[in-house]
Amino acid sequence: MNAFVKTTNGNFPNRNFYSAWKGLSEMNYTIIKFEESDLDDDSFVRSIGDMTPVFAGVTVFDKVIKLKGIDYPKIDTYPEILHPFLNRKVEKSTLGEFRTRWDSDEENRPRLFMKPMEQKKFNGAIMKSILDWMPLAYIAPETPVYLSEELHFQSEFRVYIHDQEILTAKHYMGKWDKMIDRGVVEEAIKTFAPVAPCAYALDFGVDINGRTTLVEFNDATSLGNYGMCDLWYAEMITSRWVEIASNKKT
């Protein structure tokens, strides 16, 4: 059975791609390395099947999904069902609307964390000064964004979940000894279960008040590996691909 892993000029763009390749190889898949340009070939696209997992960055993965005509409703970064675990207000807006709000009162500008709804569109940040807006000058004002209240984290961990079970949690930011509360994480997984995909990650952190707080949801489709076993990583990628690819075609 084949599996597909995206490369750039024949090389893996980062360790995530290598980890996917290694784990899928351990699962005895025959790995087909592909470039984005290969997607212009109809016969190549047809060779990608419901049971042949694909690992690529967000943009290329979405392109594959579109070319295959797969119905793939994306899951919100902050799923509404998990809002009680955010410990902060999160709202949806557009870049232009928030810029207008931000410009309207120089003395009381809102200190909100802004990130794009479309992954990788630009880097999220707290907009503190006009300098923070300068890199966004080329972004269309109608671009959808999330706005969340400012919240400082002492530590952050990525929790990998497959079939509602925690595989592992990996520290990626802040103080490693400020541990998240497993009970809170398990309650979030239980709450999410009715609408959750088969494989995903929840980023949790310990906020400045000592609360175990949800940072965000991440689908297993183009998930970053922060040190998890390559085999488990590949199993998550495979399960999620099969779940998505088996959806009703458009």
Side-chain angles (χ1 to χ4, degrees):
M1 182 73 73
N2 292 337
F4 297 82
V5 178
K6 165 75 169 57
T7 55
T8 301
N9 298 323
N11 299 312
F12 297 124
N14 57 48
R15 196 197 181 283
N16 297 329
F17 293 79
Y18 170 79
S19 181
W21 168 82
K22 188 171 184 295
L24 289 165
S25 297
E26 290 178 19
M27 294 177 69
N28 295 317
Y29 280 99
T30 298
I31 311 300
I32 307 297
K33 298 178 183 178
F34 74 99
E35 303 285 320
E36 184 173 1
S37 59
D38 291 325
L39 298 177
D40 297 329
D41 182 344
D42 290 343
S43 63
F44 178 82
V45 174
R46 286 195 299 271
S47 72
I48 300 173
D50 292 357
M51 303 299 291
T52 57
V54 175
F55 184 81
V58 174
T59 302
V60 175
F61 185 87
D62 288 351
K63 187 174 182 179
V64 171
I65 291 295
K66 184 176 181 180
L67 288 169
K68 296 299 295 182
I70 296 170
D71 182 17
Y72 170 45
K74 287 200 172 186
I75 300 171
D76 199 282
T77 300
Y78 308 106
E80 186 172 349
I81 198 171
L82 293 179
H83 276 206
F85 299 91
L86 289 171
N87 293 326
R88 63 197 184 280
K89 181 181 178 182
V90 175
E91 61 180 298
K92 296 179 181 180
S93 185
T94 66
L95 187 71
E97 288 172 350
F98 181 51
R99 179 63 190 267
T100 299
R101 283 171 57 188
W102 195 87
D103 283 337
S104 64
D105 187 349
E106 268 189 52
E107 300 300 320
N108 298 288
R109 283 173 168 162
R111 286 180 61 90
L112 298 175
F113 179 81
M114 180 178 70
K115 67 178 293 184
M117 291 188 193
E118 181 183 339
Q119 288 181 285
K120 311 300 183 183
K121 185 77 172 180
F122 59 85
N123 293 327
I126 295 174
M127 312 311 288
K128 299 176 183 177
S129 76
I130 193 66
L131 295 177
D132 296 313
W133 287 99
M134 290 176 66
L136 307 181
Y138 68 97
I139 304 292
E142 61 271 18
T143 299
V145 298
Y146 295 109
L147 301 174
S148 63
E149 293 175 332
E150 184 177 14
L151 185 62
H152 296 287
F153 287 89
Q154 301 182 69
S155 64
E156 294 183 31
F157 294 78
R158 175 157 291 181
V159 183
Y160 295 88
I161 299 115
H162 192 184
D163 292 335
Q164 308 307 317
E165 296 291 333
I166 296 174
L167 298 180
T168 188
K170 294 296 180 181
H171 173 260
Y172 66 88
M173 188 177 293
K175 301 177 181 178
W176 65 268
D177 58 342
K178 293 292 183 180
M179 303 298 294
I180 54 177
D181 184 332
R182 178 172 182 141
V184 174
V185 176
E186 289 179 337
E187 184 61 28
I189 294 169
K190 181 180 178 181
T191 299
F192 196 29
V195 296
C198 64
Y200 63 98
L202 294 178
D203 292 351
F204 270 93
V206 177
D207 67 27
I208 201 68
N209 299 309
R211 300 172 299 184
T212 293
T213 295
L214 179 64
V215 179
E216 64 180 19
F217 159 87
N218 289 279
D219 205 332
T221 53
S222 302
L223 187 62
N225 187 349
Y226 294 166
M228 183 172 68
C229 161
D230 295 324
L231 179 60
W232 290 355
Y233 185 57
E235 288 174 344
M236 291 180 70
I237 293 166
T238 300
S239 293
R240 186 62 175 130
W241 170 262
V242 172
E243 183 177 52
I244 292 170
S246 63
N247 285 346
K248 182 180 179 181
K249 304 296 188 292
T250 56

